Amino acid sequence: MIGMTIKGGTDLGQALKRVSSTVRADLLEEAVVPQADAVAELARGKTRSRRIAREIRTEVAELDDQHIDVVIGLGAKPFFAKFEEFGTQAHEVGDAGIHPGTTGKPFLRPAMDERSEIAVQQIGAAIGDALESLAVS
């Protein structure tokens, strides 16, 4: 699992405080989840395994009017995804001898790194637009 914390500016925080807690939670979810989905899609394209790609998903783990935690990760299957992301050390393989280990071929972290700057911009823009439309209505 990978994570990113985004803290809004003072003006954005003050504007959010002026709307109801239910609306704040909805705004956060509507702004953040599409960006998490974009990171997941990018990660799907970076993995070498179609099986791993099928298992990459996003899930809102926690949501309230102050913050949202969205997890980008894999289901219980394929357990071997961690070996692709991080690699393995040399290890014994029963009677077969020593496996030399593998070099990691990361797909989740690079996707997050590649997408994080635009995600922050898009999240801020989505929340700003939503707050403007609430002010108008």
Side-chain angles (χ1 to χ4, degrees):
M1 306 294 172
I2 54 177
M4 172 173 58
T5 300
I6 300 170
K7 299 196 186 258
T10 305
D11 293 341
L12 183 59
Q14 293 301 321
L16 277 170
K17 286 180 183 176
R18 291 192 289 271
V19 298
S20 77
S21 61
T22 302
V23 172
R24 282 195 301 261
D26 289 346
L27 286 176
L28 287 173
E29 187 169 16
E30 290 171 10
V32 173
V33 170
Q35 297 309 313
D37 289 341
V39 171
E41 187 60 31
L42 192 55
R44 285 183 197 103
K46 290 184 176 298
T47 181
R48 297 178 299 159
S49 166
R50 282 181 280 183
R51 185 171 174 200
I52 291 173
R54 284 192 305 266
E55 292 292 327
I56 295 173
R57 63 193 77 223
T58 59
E59 177 184 339
V60 176
E62 191 172 334
L63 172 65
D64 62 34
D65 66 331
Q66 298 295 315
H67 81 285
I68 182 171
D69 290 336
V70 180
V71 176
I72 304 167
L74 295 105
K77 305 172 199 170
F79 76 94
F80 55 85
K82 62 186 170 193
F83 305 139
E84 182 177 336
E85 182 78 10
F86 302 111
T88 61
Q89 294 182 347
H91 56 280
E92 287 188 39
V93 186
D95 293 336
I98 302 286
H99 184 284
T102 60
T103 302
K105 305 268 192 271
F107 55 95
L108 280 173
R109 171 52 62 189
M112 184 70 176
D113 291 344
E114 190 174 319
R115 184 74 188 170
S116 63
E117 189 173 316
I118 191 151
V120 170
Q121 293 169 356
Q122 294 292 322
I123 290 166
I127 291 173
D129 291 348
L131 289 172
E132 279 184 24
S133 71
L134 286 172
V136 171
S137 53

